[in-house]
Amino acid sequence: FSYFNFMFKIALQTLARGSGLGNEFTIRAIADSSRSALGGDTTGSNNTALGADASRYNTLASSSVAVGALAAYGNGGNYTATGYTVLGVGAGFSMATSSDFNTLIGYGAGNLLTTGRGNIILGAASTTSYSNRTTGNDNILIGTNMSLPSATANNQLDIGNLIWGSALNGSSTMYSTGQVGIGSSTPWARLSVQANNGDTNNTLFAIASSTAS
């Protein structure tokens, strides 16, 4: 442990390093004391940051969670965002102002995301470009090394590059008006099923059957 400089900040009321800061918990376990979790936060509250440079440049963080080195870092410089949960080394690395209420989980998840809000990305991105989301709101991406059809559109769904959806615009108890595609990233019907080049199974849809007949 001699190689690490541990710093614990626990604030139940107001932290001395900024007026109005309260209810924050940060842990830094690194040799470089300049790489402070929540290091740029001056007036935020109710934040948790663990890891070198986690939420580093969020200057007005509120109700946020960042766990992992460079999680929610803010590669473009100072930004303000609230209500996000970012777990994983380098996840949310490029977050910028208005990147509120994102849930990014996995190594490098959403690392190119800047101003998009309300996105859910579950799965690691071993290469930066795989997690291609840059802007856009309310998208859902599930799977390792997956990319959404558009890096900037809203209301998209991609599960493992097998199930796609569009116009996921519902909220609360309101239904979404969009479409779901199996084997198609551009479904035109409420449910579209499509065979792709190289598919060996010509049965696109079957009811009450778990084996070929």
Side-chain angles (χ1 to χ4, degrees):
F1 292 102
S2 61
Y3 294 99
F4 297 100
N5 171 30
F6 287 88
M7 181 180 71
F8 296 86
K9 298 179 184 176
I10 302 176
L12 298 180
Q13 297 297 324
T14 302
L15 291 178
R17 61 185 173 90
S19 61
L21 257 66
N23 302 319
E24 298 202 346
F25 175 43
T26 73
I27 294 180
R28 184 183 70 233
I30 53 174
D32 183 354
S33 61
S34 67
R35 300 186 61 192
S36 175
L38 276 170
D41 190 21
T42 56
T43 57
S45 62
N46 300 315
N47 300 292
T48 300
L50 290 81
D53 286 331
S55 287
R56 176 67 176 86
Y57 287 109
N58 192 347
T59 59
L60 188 58
S62 177
S63 303
S64 68
V65 176
V67 178
L70 300 171
Y73 174 67
N75 190 44
N78 292 344
Y79 72 99
T80 62
T82 187
Y84 57 77
T85 299
V86 178
L87 309 178
V89 172
F93 178 75
S94 303
M95 285 175 60
T97 295
S98 299
S99 54
D100 304 316
F101 305 111
N102 289 300
T103 300
L104 314 174
I105 299 177
Y107 174 89
N111 62 83
L112 298 178
L113 181 67
T114 56
T115 60
R117 59 181 288 146
N119 297 286
I120 299 173
I121 299 178
L122 306 179
S126 62
T127 300
T128 299
S129 60
Y130 282 133
S131 190
N132 67 331
R133 175 113 309 260
T134 56
T135 60
N137 307 323
D138 304 313
N139 297 281
I140 301 173
L141 175 63
I142 300 176
T144 300
N145 291 335
M146 297 290 114
S147 299
L148 285 162
S150 169
T152 59
N154 302 327
N155 307 119
Q156 303 173 94
L157 169 70
D158 182 353
I159 302 177
N161 278 4
L162 175 65
I163 302 173
W164 286 270
S166 60
L168 275 70
N169 50 17
S171 63
S172 186
T173 59
M174 295 177 59
Y175 296 114
S176 291
T177 60
Q179 297 79 37
V180 173
I182 298 177
S184 172
S185 60
T186 56
W188 61 271
R190 181 54 62 93
L191 175 62
S192 298
V193 182
Q194 177 176 317
N196 293 300
N197 291 336
D199 284 352
T200 58
N201 188 349
N202 295 321
T203 302
L204 297 185
F205 183 73
I207 297 176
S209 175
S210 59
T211 60
S213 59

